[in-house]
Amino acid sequence: MTAHLYEIIGGYDPKLPLDRASTIPSSWYTDKDFYELEIQTVFSRSWQLAGRLDQVRQPGQYVTSDIAGEPVVIVRGNDGVLRGFFNVCRHHAAAVMTEPEGKAAQLRCPYHGWTYSLEGELKGTPDFSEVCNFDRASNGLARLEMAEWENWIFVNLDPDRRTSLTGFLTDDLVQQIKPLELTRLHWFERRHYSFDCNWKVFVDNYLDGGYHVPYLHKGLDSVLDYSNYMIENGQHHCLQWSPIVTEGAEAQTGAVRKGDRALYYWIYPNFMINWYDGVMDTNLVVPRGVDQTEVIFDFYFPDVVSDEARRKNHASVEVGQRIQDEDVAICKSVQRGLNSRAYNAGRLSVRREAGEHLFHRLLHADVSHGLRG
Ligand code: FES
Ligand SMILES: [Fe+2]
């Protein structure tokens, strides 16, 4: 098994410069053992989005998610402090909170009714009085490392993690995002998309420097200045940006994609922030199997209250929907091709695909480090 994984990882040379590099080999997208390795390394050791701050403003508000297959819950305590826990009951491991979000006075497990305070301490244990040597104080919910940035909450499952969230994001990225004043935008709607492909097919597609836009997304293409599309790699992120053109814009897209530029930030491994003037959406790419991926889109706008603004916001979300529908089909097609004996790896465009090159090298570093232990 390990030899098999070493062989797969050895199929990629991260030292080659972009003009000589190839993509990661197709087995990285199709092999089940490699997929498991990614879950145990890439997803279990990186900072992962676990919720939005707007979901947990008040004491008792909570949000649940699963990170690398493990259930987590973020909850604001009565003391106003936000805490992250494994959402795993200390009795027999059921998920304590089962809704995606909500507000509760205490955290009660639905299985046998054990209850925990909002601060995670074990409080109620029905029919447990005769149990010997049971230390209630050490049976609170297990804590989880958590950090906030802009509109979001991130968690990290790795007890030996190497960096803080801001250390990982780097000062460079934090300073680039700050002037956008993202916290002035309000969450409007969430949509879930399923892709019949490995999670990296979606990320590669996102990071191709606009290469596919003129061919696949005619509406979007009409508002972007393709020849001036720029790609700037950071340490763990890639910014792709494009001036926006209004002349000749396709009507539906032009009406909701304004301002002078579009910014597309990808943060390793699976989070994206897409920003236009007054419009933002984020994408969280969640692996659901070696060839299944869920992408969670959150849409944000400056005004989510007035009828007039809500109408416009809906129109903007619909444009996003059309672009995703166009990507769903191509991602499925790529996954099928990756399974073909005729394909192993492909070359990268120097003009367009520097972001993918960064992604593949970061991934290589993570899985090789993970395999060595
Ligand atoms: S598993 Fe939670 S109370 Fe039994
Ligand atoms: Fe696309």
Side-chain angles (χ1 to χ4, degrees), residues 17-23 211 343 345-350 353 356:
L18 178 55
D19 60 353
R20 294 180 188 271
S22 290
T23 61
Y211 206 171
Y343 186 90
R347 297 295 300 273
L348 295 166
S349 159
V350 172
E353 298 182 296
E356 276 176 77

Side-chain angles (χ1 to χ4, degrees), residues 69-325:
E70 298 195 48
V72 307
V73 59
I74 309 288
V75 55
R76 193 172 295 280
N78 281 318
D79 53 3
V81 175
L82 200 57
R83 294 178 179 84
F85 302 103
F86 287 90
N87 184 19
V88 179
C89 184
R90 297 298 297 273
H91 180 223
H92 289 174
V96 177
M97 304 312 281
T98 52
E99 297 296 320
E101 63 178 351
K103 191 171 180 185
Q106 56 190 1
L107 311 178
R108 171 176 285 133
C109 179
Y111 199 179
H112 313 96
W114 281 29
T115 53
Y116 303 85
S117 71
L118 299 178
E119 293 75 36
E121 309 135 317
L122 180 60
K123 291 290 183 191
T125 49
D127 293 334
F128 230 60
S129 52
E130 293 117 72
V131 178
C132 298
N133 300 332
F134 179 70
D135 177 23
R136 190 175 292 248
S138 61
N139 275 276
L141 291 174
R143 283 294 288 272
L144 180 64
E145 194 61 26
M146 183 211 80
E148 301 170 25
W149 176 58
E150 296 286 347
N151 304 27
W152 305 290
I153 304 158
F154 292 81
V155 298
N156 194 318
L157 299 189
D158 183 7
D160 309 316
R161 95 203 127 269
R162 284 164 284 173
T163 53
S164 66
L165 176 63
T166 42
F168 174 77
L169 295 171
T170 72
D171 201 43
D172 167 31
L173 177 64
V174 170
Q175 295 308 329
Q176 284 186 47
I177 297 288
K178 200 179 262 172
L180 301 178
E181 301 188 313
L182 302 185
T183 51
R184 293 167 72 145
L185 296 171
H186 304 288
W187 178 81
F188 179 66
E189 189 180 325
R190 170 168 281 199
R191 289 198 179 185
H192 300 257
Y193 296 92
S194 322
F195 285 79
D196 294 324
C197 65
N198 183 269
W199 69 279
K200 298 187 292 300
V201 172
F202 183 91
V203 177
D204 288 340
N205 177 62
Y206 183 92
L207 286 175
D208 76 1
Y211 206 171
H212 73 280
V213 171
Y215 308 101
L216 208 60
H217 305 305
K218 300 269 187 252
L220 180 62
D221 186 44
S222 74
V223 298
L224 298 182
D225 180 358
Y226 183 71
S227 54
N228 285 311
Y229 200 106
M230 303 304 288
I231 298 117
E232 295 172 13
N233 278 342
Q235 202 178 339
H236 300 124
H237 73 269
C238 173
L239 164 64
Q240 304 174 85
W241 66 273
S242 167
I244 293 203
V245 292
T246 43
E247 218 165 294
E250 183 259 340
Q252 203 187 351
T253 312
V256 294
R257 297 287 183 268
K258 294 199 162 97
D260 55 2
R261 64 208 164 118
L263 305 177
Y264 304 115
Y265 281 97
W266 164 77
I267 300 170
Y268 179 81
N270 65 333
F271 186 56
M272 292 95 164
I273 304 168
N274 306 306
W275 184 91
Y276 302 83
D277 193 15
V279 184
M280 170 172 73
D281 64 82
T282 63
N283 316 149
L284 179 68
V285 184
V286 187
R288 294 294 183 204
V290 68
D291 57 2
Q292 289 297 317
T293 298
E294 178 182 2
V295 184
I296 303 173
F297 275 64
D298 280 313
F299 296 90
Y300 298 75
F301 298 95
D303 179 352
V304 294
V305 179
S306 79
D307 287 346
E308 169 66 14
R310 292 182 69 85
R311 249 195 316 279
K312 273 204 213 138
N313 299 349
H314 278 300
S316 179
V317 171
E318 287 315 318
V319 166
Q321 170 90 41
R322 200 176 72 188
I323 294 167
Q324 286 323 301
D325 292 344

